[in-house]
Amino acid sequence: MRLPVYLDYAATTPVDPRIAALLGRHLTLDGVFGNPSSATHVFGRQAARVVETARCQVAGLLNADPREIIWTSGATEANNLALTGVMRAQARRGRHLLTSKTEHKAVLDVCRWLGQNGCIVTYLDPDPDGQIPLERIAEALRPDTVLASLMHVNNETGVIHDLAAISALTRERGVLLHVDAAQSAGKLPIDLQTLPVDLLSLSAHKLCGPKGIGALYVRQRPVRIRLEPLLYGGGQERGLRAGTLPTHQIAAMGEAFRIASEEMGAEQAQIRSLRDRLWQTLAGLDRVELNGHPRENVAGILNVSFTGVTAEAVLADLPDIAVSTGSACTSATNEPSHVLRAMGVDSLRARAAIRFSLGRFTTVEEIDYTAGAVIAAVNRLRELSPLWEDIQQGSESGQSATPKANEKRHISVPSS
Ligand SMILES: *Cc1c(COP(=O)(O)O)cnc(C)c1O
């Protein structure tokens, strides 16, 4: 077993060796390195063919039309393009935008900017299990609502939102729907022929592809969604995203999506069984709490709080295990997770939360090693913790400091 163990697949994934090999073949003189816009020679035309094949592969996984895929530098740019693009192009329809407090910062920070620049933004609260109730969305829609932006799978908790129900509602009410699918594409089935989603953000590096490439799906039928671009220049991507297309990155993203369409079912079942094994072992500890939804969750993410210790202390005790406290993007700020806080998780429990995220190359040995090491670390730290002593005394006298501890012991497999 290789140490340290990598269990931070929700932050980024290692590139699949099949994809790394393909990347290399699109860089050098003896490979396909041309500028896809160079229509005057074979180098450019070959590169353009590679780009269009990849576009079909990405569209294929989502049952979309290839013309609906716009290449970007990642899901962050796709989110920026979707939100500012729609709100600027469609300002005459209204200024109201709806989102939730558990979105990724790549949506929330764009919403904040829009809010400072003439838009009105409503941030919905989730339920304690992380989902946004449909009635809450319905009540927040206004006559001047142009767009709703709600993620498919949450990157910190793995909670799955009911896209079918949400998109049916927004379509019925004549509101556009943008979905950040960075954590769900290639992990859950997404069929854009049946789901009335209008815009959807994608990233390659959450799916064993390289960092720095992603895409925005923009619905063309029955109506073409109007967007204002972020970048102006050479007119690539139907004028929606200027800049020379990175042939190697695009080929790699296409391959990541092709592999996912073939292997998703078996791979997710395997990852889920490893995740459940990890949870069942960790749940043997006293006072372990699951953060998220007990059933509606993606296979690869497990977010748990160990009462009486801080996540930082556990991580510092486990240099051989790469996990995360909340999301990588916010762990620099040392704030407790905005996602867990929005779900009503108290600050102590939020500071005790650790996200384990598993992926394609996770092994059973790694899971067993991790479970053993985490249990040992938590027990060691609890011995030293005056807080833990108080909590235990509280529960001995019948006044549990955390009354909900140990309620959610099992994650069950969603019916879908
Ligand atoms: C990783 C992630 C992003 C950012 O994607 P990049 O391709 O790194 O820009 C956005 N949203 C979610 C939910 C993510 O998990």
Side-chain angles (χ1 to χ4, degrees):
M1 188 179 65
R2 184 201 301 253
L3 291 177
V5 174
Y6 188 74
L7 288 177
D8 205 9
Y9 276 77
T12 193
T13 60
V15 175
D16 187 303
R18 293 170 285 183
I19 299 175
L22 187 102
L23 254 171
R25 293 200 297 275
H26 291 83
L27 293 169
T28 49
L29 183 59
D30 56 1
V32 181
F33 72 93
N35 183 334
S37 300
S38 302
T40 55
H41 53 68
V42 66
F43 298 91
R45 288 195 292 268
Q46 268 181 346
R49 268 200 299 280
V50 166
V51 166
E52 294 320 309
T53 301
R55 206 186 296 276
C56 291
Q57 289 167 324
V58 170
L61 182 67
L62 309 169
N63 201 12
D65 189 300
R67 285 168 296 185
E68 297 175 311
I69 303 297
I70 305 294
W71 302 116
T72 64
S73 62
T76 300
E77 185 190 330
N79 289 343
N80 274 265
L81 176 58
L83 271 60
T84 62
V86 165
M87 296 312 285
R88 287 195 292 172
Q90 311 204 18
R92 265 181 295 137
R93 286 182 55 198
R95 305 300 290 151
H96 184 237
L97 165 66
L98 186 67
T99 187
S100 98
K101 291 184 183 167
T102 60
E103 291 295 311
H104 192 274
K105 292 286 182 187
V107 164
L108 290 177
D109 284 357
V110 184
C111 288
R112 195 179 52 185
W113 183 88
L114 286 166
Q116 292 161 350
N117 287 273
C119 292
I120 301 146
V121 188
T122 301
Y123 299 89
L124 295 175
D125 284 305
D127 269 352
D129 62 18
Q131 286 187 327
I132 320 283
L134 204 61
E135 316 81 68
R136 207 168 288 163
I137 302 172
E139 282 163 16
L141 294 174
R142 319 188 325 188
D144 62 339
T145 309
V146 176
L147 177 68
S149 180
L150 295 164
M151 70 203 319
H152 191 190
V153 165
N154 184 272
N155 51 298
E156 292 191 30
T157 58
V159 169
I160 302 172
H161 297 280
D162 185 350
L163 265 198
I166 294 171
S167 59
L169 170 69
T170 49
R171 175 58 61 93
E172 182 201 310
R173 301 282 290 269
V175 169
L176 297 175
L177 177 63
H178 165 254
V179 174
D180 180 345
Q183 293 287 349
S184 63
K187 293 165 188 151
L188 298 175
I190 299 175
D191 182 343
L192 293 170
Q193 297 292 336
T194 55
L195 287 175
V197 168
D198 300 293
L199 303 124
L200 184 124
S201 297
L202 302 164
S203 180
H205 77 97
K206 306 291 173 72
L207 202 54
C208 298
K211 288 172 264 299
I213 182 72
L216 180 65
Y217 160 85
V218 183
R219 183 173 288 284
Q220 302 290 318
R221 276 178 297 186
V223 278
R224 186 161 158 258
I225 309 299
R226 284 182 299 115
L227 286 181
E228 193 64 41
L230 288 172
L231 303 180
Y232 300 88
Q236 291 93 345
E237 301 300 276
R238 304 160 166 262
L240 282 177
R241 206 279 189 167
T244 304
L245 292 172
T247 312
H248 59 303
Q249 297 280 74
I250 290 171
M253 178 158 173
E255 178 70 355
F257 277 62
R258 182 196 68 75
I259 292 172
S261 33
E262 283 181 9
E263 301 177 0
M264 177 166 88
E267 180 172 290
Q268 290 300 300
Q270 153 85 5
I271 292 171
R272 181 172 295 278
S273 82
L274 291 176
R275 195 274 311 269
D276 290 349
R277 181 183 178 100
L278 176 62
W279 171 237
Q280 270 145 27
T281 316
L282 293 178
L285 272 168
D286 202 12
R287 304 280 187 128
V288 184
E289 298 176 84
L290 176 71
N291 299 311
H293 198 287
R295 290 175 309 280
E296 294 301 318
N297 53 62
V298 77
I301 296 181
L302 179 68
N303 190 315
V304 287
S305 288
F306 302 97
T307 307
V309 299
T310 65
E312 277 75 22
V314 178
L315 264 53
D317 214 44
L318 296 171
D320 275 345
I321 299 171
V323 292
S324 166
T325 64
S327 77
C329 321
T330 43
S331 56
T333 62
N334 199 26
E335 289 278 301
S337 147
H338 72 278
V339 173
L340 298 183
R341 297 295 282 136
M343 287 159 61
V345 170
D346 68 61
S347 151
L348 267 182
R349 176 170 156 187
R351 286 187 191 279
I354 295 180
R355 178 187 70 184
F356 301 88
S357 51
L358 293 64
R360 183 166 296 167
F361 306 107
T362 305
T363 64
V364 67
E365 290 75 25
E366 290 175 330
I367 290 303
D368 290 348
Y369 173 83
T370 299
V374 170
I375 288 173
V378 170
N379 281 333
R380 199 157 49 230
L381 291 163
R382 279 176 173 176
E383 297 262 305
L384 304 170
S385 158
L387 176 65
W388 177 243
E389 214 168 285
D390 290 349
I391 290 167
Q392 283 201 308
Q393 275 163 7
S395 59
E396 272 160 27
S397 61
Q399 315 159 326
S400 168
T402 50
K404 286 209 303 193
N406 280 352
E407 246 172 35
K408 294 175 184 168
R409 276 276 157 155
H410 299 286
I411 300 178
S412 42
V413 181
S415 48
S416 60

